[in-house]
């Protein structure tokens, strides 16, 4: 069943339904639902990636594999484009590039609108009631189309360069497939390289404040704790409306890192007690600023005011050729934004009816129906004349950022434009 918000137009619904049936979207969802084998290198990697001719194969690295890391969205998009090349009936580079551009546009448009994962792609090995809930989860919710668009543009630029270097169509197509696969494998290891260069900045006995759920940040902090054996505390902002920070807190706690979850509105209250702030990014723009989960801008302003270092961890395939000067310049991000309900969690918790998604603290006599009714009793119903805004991301200008931890090394915000030139030249 297609779940849409009241703010989604009929035209957008039809567009989304059409794109969900597209083989490119089915392929993207399959890649996103699979698990990646991301390796943790035992030694530091060079600050700049080698050419695709010299990329190591994934089997050559001796390391520990992550059980929970899903394939990053831009890498999944690159794999989808590789499959488009394999399926393409084009007989010229111009025709192939047109097929790739069409597939890229379909993925980006789907990401902008958001939408539930097609039911046939969700946990086909398990037909439990949980799957019905998962079918209603939005795939991207409008947040990640900047990173997806950046990854697609980077790959299309590479295809264009390859066509100029190898005029023969058959040879060029084979070369693009071979190097594209190695590029995707190399990109998968970006988190590990970022963890390697960013880990030394986490000091023994420090308090680290983070926001949202960034797998790059999680990888960096887990490496600092488990590999570098550092002892530190983590404070995580709750990350409403999707409780992203609270979910991330469970990961840290399970790995033995002392963790505290803080209300988003209390970020200023706890800032004077932290030693560093580290966040992820949906996109890194030309002027060195970042686009990330809403609240990051406020966090950056407070960190600068109190003299706390503010670090950003992001993969280079999230570097994007955007140049926003403020939040009004950000591209429109669709998704499930305006269909929010507000819950009085304080009184709901006090009522004893609290139950999390793991089933903890559930009353024995409670049933799914009664629990749902318990929640409804504490929903704050707003008049229809009250407007609700829920922007998924905001823009943090470069002046609030101390350093960026990337797979290209540790960068200052002013160095981003130079790296973008190198990536797209």
């Amino acid at each position: 069943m297609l779940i849409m918000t009241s703010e989604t137009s009929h035209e957008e619904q039809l567009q989304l339904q059409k794109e969900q049936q597209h083989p490119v979207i089915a392929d993207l969802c399959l890649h996103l639902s699979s698990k990646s084998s991301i390796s943790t290198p035992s030694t530091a990697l060079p600050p700049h990636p080698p050419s695709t001719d010299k990329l190591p194969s994934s089997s050559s690295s001796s390391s520990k594999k992550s059980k929970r890391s899903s394939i990053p969205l831009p890498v999944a998009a690159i794999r989808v484009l590789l499959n488009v090349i394999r399926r393409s009936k084009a007989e010229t580079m111009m025709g192939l590039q047109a097929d790739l551009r069409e597939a890229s546009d379909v993925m980006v448009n789907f990401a902008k609108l958001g939408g539930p994962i097609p039911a046939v792609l969700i946990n086909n090995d398990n037909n439990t009631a949980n799957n019905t809930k998962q079918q209603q989860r939005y795939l991207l919710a409008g947040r990640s189309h900047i990173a997806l668009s950046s990854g697609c543009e980077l790959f299309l630029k590479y295809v264009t360069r390859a066509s100029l270097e190898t005029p023969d169509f058959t040879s060029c197509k084979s070369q693009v497939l071979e190097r594209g696969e190695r590029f995707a494998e190399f990109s998968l290891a970006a988190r590990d390289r970022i963890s390697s260069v960013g880990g030394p900045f986490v000091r023994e006995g420090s308090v680290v404040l983070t926001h949202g759920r960034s797998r790059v940040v999680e990888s960096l902090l887990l490496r600092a704790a488990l590999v570098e054996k550092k002892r530190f505390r983590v404070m995580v902002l709750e990350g409403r409306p999707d409780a992203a920070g609270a979910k991330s807190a469970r990961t840290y706690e399970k790995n033995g890192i002392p963790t505290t979850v803080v209300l988003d509105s209390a970020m200023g209250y706890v800032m004077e007690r932290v030693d560093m702030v580290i966040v992820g990014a949906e996109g890194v723009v030309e002027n060195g600023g970042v686009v990330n989960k809403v609240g990051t801008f406020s966090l950056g302003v407070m960190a600068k005011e109190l003299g706390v270092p503010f670090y950003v961890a992001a993969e280079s395939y999230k570097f994007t050729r955007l140049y926003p000067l403020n939040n009004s310049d950000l591209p429109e991000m669709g998704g499930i934004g305006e269909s929010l309900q507000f819950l009085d969690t304080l009184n709901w918790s006090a009522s004893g009816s609290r139950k999390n998604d793991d089933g903890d603290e559930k009353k024995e006599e409670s049933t799914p129906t009664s629990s749902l009714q318990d929640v409804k009793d504490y929903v704050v119903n707003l008049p229809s004349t009250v407007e609700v805004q829920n922007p998924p991301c905001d823009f943090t200008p470069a002046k609030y950022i101390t350093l960026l931890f990337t797979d290209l090394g540790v960068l200052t915000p002013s160095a981003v434009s130079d790296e973008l030139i190198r990536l797209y030249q």
Side-chain angles (χ1 to χ4, degrees):
M1 180 173 120
L2 192 62
I3 309 252
M4 305 303 299
T5 72
S6 58
E7 300 295 325
T8 305
S9 68
H10 178 65
E11 290 76 13
E12 286 178 334
Q13 292 185 34
L14 293 177
Q15 176 72 11
L16 185 53
Q17 287 175 335
K18 178 181 177 182
E19 288 173 351
Q20 279 185 291
Q21 299 169 4
H22 200 289
V24 166
I25 298 304
D27 199 7
L28 178 66
C29 294
L30 282 173
H31 283 298
L32 291 175
S33 63
S34 65
K35 298 291 183 181
S36 62
S37 301
I38 301 177
S39 58
T40 303
S42 56
T43 57
L45 289 159
H48 295 286
S51 69
T52 51
D53 291 322
K54 299 179 181 179
L55 290 180
S57 65
S58 57
S59 58
S60 64
S61 87
S62 60
S63 55
K64 193 183 295 182
K65 293 186 178 179
S66 167
K67 294 181 180 179
R68 67 168 294 276
S69 298
S70 60
I71 295 179
L73 180 58
V75 179
I78 290 172
R79 291 200 181 279
V80 170
L81 294 178
L82 288 171
N83 287 340
V84 169
I85 294 176
R86 295 185 181 98
R87 295 192 301 262
S88 176
K89 305 294 185 182
E91 298 180 353
T92 64
M93 278 307 301
M94 185 174 295
L96 181 60
Q97 287 173 317
D99 288 345
L100 291 172
R101 173 58 64 185
E102 179 189 357
S104 174
D105 290 344
V106 168
M107 286 189 287
V108 172
N109 288 335
F110 182 73
K112 285 181 178 179
L113 292 176
I117 301 176
V120 296
L121 300 177
I122 301 175
N123 292 345
N124 293 325
D125 59 332
N126 189 350
N127 194 26
T128 64
N130 289 334
N131 289 350
T132 303
K133 296 178 182 178
Q134 288 183 338
Q135 290 171 19
Q136 298 176 359
R137 291 182 182 175
Y138 279 72
L139 175 62
L140 303 173
R143 275 186 58 187
S144 302
H145 80 267
I146 293 178
L148 188 149
S149 179
S150 177
C152 289
E153 285 295 330
L154 196 60
F155 183 79
L156 290 172
K157 180 66 177 178
Y158 166 71
V159 172
T160 300
R161 187 186 307 144
S163 67
L164 296 175
E165 295 173 354
T166 310
D168 180 71
F169 175 69
T170 303
S171 300
C172 181
K173 187 175 179 179
S174 299
Q175 186 182 86
V176 168
L177 285 171
E178 180 185 352
R179 293 188 179 182
E181 283 290 352
R182 283 186 283 172
F183 175 72
E185 290 297 325
F186 184 76
S187 298
L188 271 177
R191 292 176 189 165
D192 300 320
R193 295 193 295 276
I194 294 170
S195 299
S196 180
V197 300
F201 287 81
V202 181
R203 300 191 304 273
E204 179 77 20
S206 61
V207 179
V208 181
L209 176 62
T210 186
H211 177 49
R213 190 177 197 190
S214 165
R215 287 183 171 85
V216 181
V217 174
E218 287 183 3
S219 177
L220 190 157
L221 294 178
L222 291 179
R223 179 187 175 99
L226 304 179
V227 178
E228 300 175 11
K229 304 298 182 183
K230 294 178 181 176
R231 291 172 295 179
F232 57 92
R233 295 185 60 85
V234 173
M235 283 190 174
V236 187
L237 298 179
E238 58 176 334
R240 292 203 178 194
D242 59 354
K247 295 170 186 174
S248 192
R250 294 194 301 193
T251 299
Y252 298 133
E253 190 277 333
K254 288 178 182 177
N255 286 276
I257 301 176
T259 305
T260 302
V261 177
V262 183
L263 294 176
D264 291 337
S265 54
M267 62 174 74
Y269 178 82
V270 300
M271 185 64 71
E272 60 190 26
R273 289 186 268 158
V274 306
D275 299 295
M276 63 180 286
V277 177
I278 179 168
V279 298
E282 296 288 336
V284 180
V285 300
E286 285 191 58
N287 55 22
V290 298
V291 179
N292 193 43
K293 183 177 177 67
V294 69
T296 304
F297 180 28
S298 304
L299 198 58
V301 172
M302 290 184 183
K304 187 175 181 67
E305 181 65 26
L306 294 180
V308 177
F310 186 89
Y311 301 115
V312 176
E315 305 93 326
S316 60
Y317 52 69
K318 290 183 178 179
F319 287 18
T320 181
R321 292 183 292 183
L322 295 176
Y323 203 99
L325 298 179
N326 50 48
N327 281 283
S328 299
D329 293 336
L330 289 180
E332 184 178 351
M333 300 182 191
I336 60 176
E338 281 68 30
S339 64
L340 280 182
Q341 287 189 319
F342 296 93
L343 182 67
D344 182 354
T345 54
L346 183 63
N347 285 314
W348 178 46
S349 299
S351 72
S353 300
R354 179 177 56 185
K355 186 183 78 166
N356 66 22
D357 59 2
D358 283 337
D360 298 332
E361 302 182 45
K362 167 187 165 186
K363 282 186 173 182
E364 289 186 3
E365 66 274 14
S366 175
T367 65
T369 302
S370 64
S371 295
L372 182 60
Q373 184 59 49
D374 288 338
V375 172
K376 287 182 177 179
D377 290 341
Y378 296 95
V379 171
V380 179
N381 295 309
L382 296 174
S384 59
T385 53
V386 175
E387 181 184 356
V388 176
Q389 290 189 357
N390 177 32
C393 296
D394 59 24
F395 167 64
T396 304
K399 65 181 179 180
Y400 298 111
I401 300 170
T402 307
L403 290 170
L404 295 105
F405 304 145
T406 77
D407 48 308
L408 305 178
V410 179
L411 303 178
T412 61
S414 60
V416 171
S417 58
D418 293 334
E419 293 299 337
L420 269 168
I421 292 173
R422 288 182 65 253
L423 286 171
Y424 284 94
Q425 69 182 1

